[in-house]
């Protein structure tokens, strides 16, 4: 099993939503999504894990590596809604990774509102991510 993702740029904030299982087979896809975020946004990236079923040790390492990549580009990584089956324990040399209870809390910390139509809002997704019309958002 792998992941699907959606990346949205809103008000100098990126939201990378991830669904599925972030295990060894999904690490490359997650790393690619982070690369997509690096190339198409500015400011911090909130990784929204609301739809993530679970993650493996390899998946957690991929998140800490993403934090390093973003820090090298002068950007931060934050997490929203980490899976209940484990907490992220980044390596000692990893940049700080703020963790928010959910996406609303992460957006509130940046005074942003997810989904609000703002000029310059862009969104990209994998083909497996539900369309807005399909998901009822």
């Amino acid at each position: 099993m792998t992941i699907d993702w959606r990346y949205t740029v809103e008000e100098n904030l990126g939201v990378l939503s991830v669904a599925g299982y972030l295990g060894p087979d999904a690490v490359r896809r997650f790393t690619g999504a982070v690369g997509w975020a690096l190339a198409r946004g500015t400011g911090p990236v909130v990784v929204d894990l609301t739809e993530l079923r679970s993650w493996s040790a390899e998946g957690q390492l991929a998140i800490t590596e993403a934090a390093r990549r973003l820090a090298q580009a002068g950007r931060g990584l934050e997490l929203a809604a980490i899976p209940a089956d484990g907490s992220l324990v980044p390596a000692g040399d990893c940049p700080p990774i703020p963790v928010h209870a959910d996406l609303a809390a992460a957006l509130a910390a940046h005074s942003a509102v997810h989904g609000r139509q703002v000029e310059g809002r862009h969104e990209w997704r994998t083909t497996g991510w539900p369309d807005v019309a399909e998901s009822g958002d």
Side-chain angles (χ1 to χ4, degrees):
M1 177 183 270
T2 188
I3 59 165
D4 284 303
W5 59 266
R6 176 182 65 200
Y7 180 65
T8 308
V9 176
E10 303 182 37
E11 301 179 37
N12 199 35
L13 175 71
V15 177
L16 177 60
S17 300
V18 180
Y21 173 65
L22 186 51
D25 295 339
V27 167
R28 281 189 62 187
R29 193 167 198 174
F30 177 76
T31 300
V34 171
W36 193 270
L38 277 165
R40 289 168 178 80
T42 60
V45 174
V46 174
V47 179
D48 174 21
L49 302 174
T50 303
E51 298 298 324
L52 192 70
R53 291 187 195 109
S54 184
W55 55 8
S56 67
E58 294 88 352
Q60 290 184 24
L61 288 173
I63 287 177
T64 59
E65 183 56 33
R68 284 188 191 97
R69 285 178 67 195
L70 285 161
Q72 289 172 347
R75 299 173 67 187
L77 180 136
E78 302 178 20
L79 298 177
I82 64 171
D85 64 346
S87 62
L88 181 69
V89 182
D93 63 342
C94 184
I97 302 175
V99 177
H100 305 278
D102 54 27
L103 182 57
L107 295 173
H110 293 278
S111 301
V113 178
H114 189 58
R116 182 174 71 193
Q117 293 301 322
V118 296
E119 189 173 326
R121 180 178 191 267
H122 298 284
E123 181 176 287
W124 300 268
R125 70 182 92 214
T126 56
T127 56
W129 192 270
D131 219 4
V132 170
E134 294 173 15
S135 67
D137 287 343

